[in-house]
Amino acid sequence: MSEEITVKFAKARKGYQKIKVKLGFYGPMYLISYTIRRRRYRILIDAFFTDITNFKPLRVLLAKNISALGVQLINEKELEIPLIKPLASVQKILSDLQDIIYEAGVTYYRKEEAISVIQEELDEFLPELIRFIEEGMAGKEHIIRSAFLGLLMKEGLGLTFRSIEEFKVEKTMLVYYPILIDENNRAYEIAWKLTSSEIYTYLFSSKTLFEKISEYTSSSS
C-alpha cells in the first residue's frame, strides 16, 4: 500500500488582491527535499506544464528554491481558485531530471570552457519555447542548449553528471502553487513576488496553451 503524500499550499504574498484577475489557479508542484554531499536542497518542481507541453526542460526552468525565494507553505487553501491535479508523479519527475542530467551533463563536462562564457538571460530562450508549444514541442529539446541547461541544473539544483550518483531524496510533498493572470495577460507567481512573472507570462502568451489551461481550470472548478 503506497504512503499518502502530504499536501500543502504556497501562501500568497500580502497585496495580491490588487491584481485584476482574469484567470487564476493552483498549479501542482512537488517539493522535493534532498541531499548531495551533505548539502540539503528544498526545490519546488513543476508537475503540470512540463507534461502538457511534453518539454522536459520546463522541469528545470520552472523549478524554485523554496528557501531562497522565501516561499511559505500553509495547510489550507486560501484563494478561491481551482486546483489543477498533477500530471506527473514524483518518480516521473526524478526520472526526467536524470534524463536531463545525462543529456546536458555530458556536454557540461566535455565543454567546461563553454559554461564560463554563457551570459544569456532566460528571456532569450522563451520566444523559441513558445513557438514550439504552438507547433508541438516533442523532440525539440535541443533548442535549449545543453550547456545552458547544465548550468541551471548545477547552480540551481546542485545536480550534475557526477553528483546525481549522490542524490538522496529525504522527503516529498505535493504543493499547490498559485498563479494569477491579469486582464493584460500578465502572469503572477504570487507566492514569490507581486511583479509579473516573465516565464509564466511567456507561456500564457501561447493561445494553444492558454486554452489548455482554461480547460483544466474549468474541469477543476
Side-chain angles (χ1 to χ4, degrees):
M1 187 174 179
S2 60
E3 185 178 347
E4 186 175 350
I5 193 165
T6 301
V7 176
K8 297 279 187 178
F9 296 85
K11 181 175 177 58
R13 299 271 182 175
K14 290 182 179 179
Y16 75 89
Q17 297 92 339
K18 295 179 181 179
I19 300 170
K20 296 181 179 180
V21 180
K22 179 171 70 174
L23 175 69
F25 62 91
Y26 279 100
M29 303 184 86
Y30 282 103
L31 176 59
I32 302 180
S33 301
Y34 58 91
T35 58
I36 298 174
R37 298 170 188 162
R38 297 184 181 180
R39 182 176 175 182
R40 181 169 285 103
Y41 295 81
R42 298 176 69 232
I43 306 293
L44 282 174
I45 300 182
D46 171 62
F48 177 71
F49 287 97
T50 306
D51 305 281
I52 63 171
T53 60
N54 195 27
F55 190 63
K56 284 183 185 178
L58 276 179
R59 295 266 190 242
V60 180
L61 298 176
L62 297 178
K64 301 281 183 286
N65 183 320
I66 190 170
S67 301
L69 299 182
V71 175
Q72 298 180 43
L73 302 182
I74 56 179
N75 293 325
E76 297 180 358
K77 180 180 176 183
E78 62 176 336
L79 280 72
E80 292 302 318
I81 54 177
L83 299 179
I84 295 180
K85 298 296 182 182
L87 295 181
S89 64
V90 172
Q91 290 73 22
K92 177 61 167 61
I93 288 172
L94 296 177
S95 175
D96 283 352
L97 290 177
Q98 188 173 54
D99 288 347
I100 294 168
I101 280 294
Y102 283 106
E103 290 166 8
V106 172
T107 300
Y108 179 86
Y109 281 104
R110 288 180 181 171
K111 299 182 179 179
E112 289 185 357
E113 71 280 1
I115 295 298
S116 64
V117 297
I118 292 176
Q119 300 294 328
E120 293 90 345
E121 297 292 335
L122 183 59
D123 289 358
E124 181 177 329
F125 299 96
L126 293 175
E128 293 177 335
L129 185 136
I130 293 303
R131 180 161 56 89
F132 285 107
I133 288 174
E134 295 283 9
E135 295 177 4
M137 297 171 71
K140 303 297 196 307
E141 287 86 350
H142 63 279
I143 292 301
I144 293 185
R145 286 182 292 177
S146 294
F148 181 78
L149 196 57
L151 183 62
L152 288 179
M153 293 289 281
K154 178 179 183 292
E155 299 301 327
L157 307 184
L159 294 174
T160 66
F161 188 63
R162 295 170 183 169
S163 72
I164 193 70
E165 303 299 329
E166 301 180 45
F167 179 87
K168 295 180 180 178
V169 175
E170 294 184 333
K171 187 177 181 181
T172 62
M173 68 175 66
L174 175 59
V175 173
Y176 285 107
Y177 189 73
I179 302 290
L180 301 181
I181 314 297
D182 72 10
E183 296 173 335
N184 297 310
N185 293 326
R186 292 187 297 254
Y188 297 82
E189 301 179 62
I190 59 171
W192 170 24
K193 59 183 181 178
L194 296 182
T195 54
S196 60
S197 165
E198 293 184 21
I199 187 164
Y200 280 103
T201 297
Y202 270 115
L203 286 172
F204 281 100
S205 70
S206 161
K207 182 179 178 182
T208 301
L209 184 55
F210 190 90
E211 289 174 351
K212 283 185 178 181
I213 298 298
S214 298
E215 289 175 9
Y216 274 95
T217 56
S218 297
S219 64
S220 302
S221 299

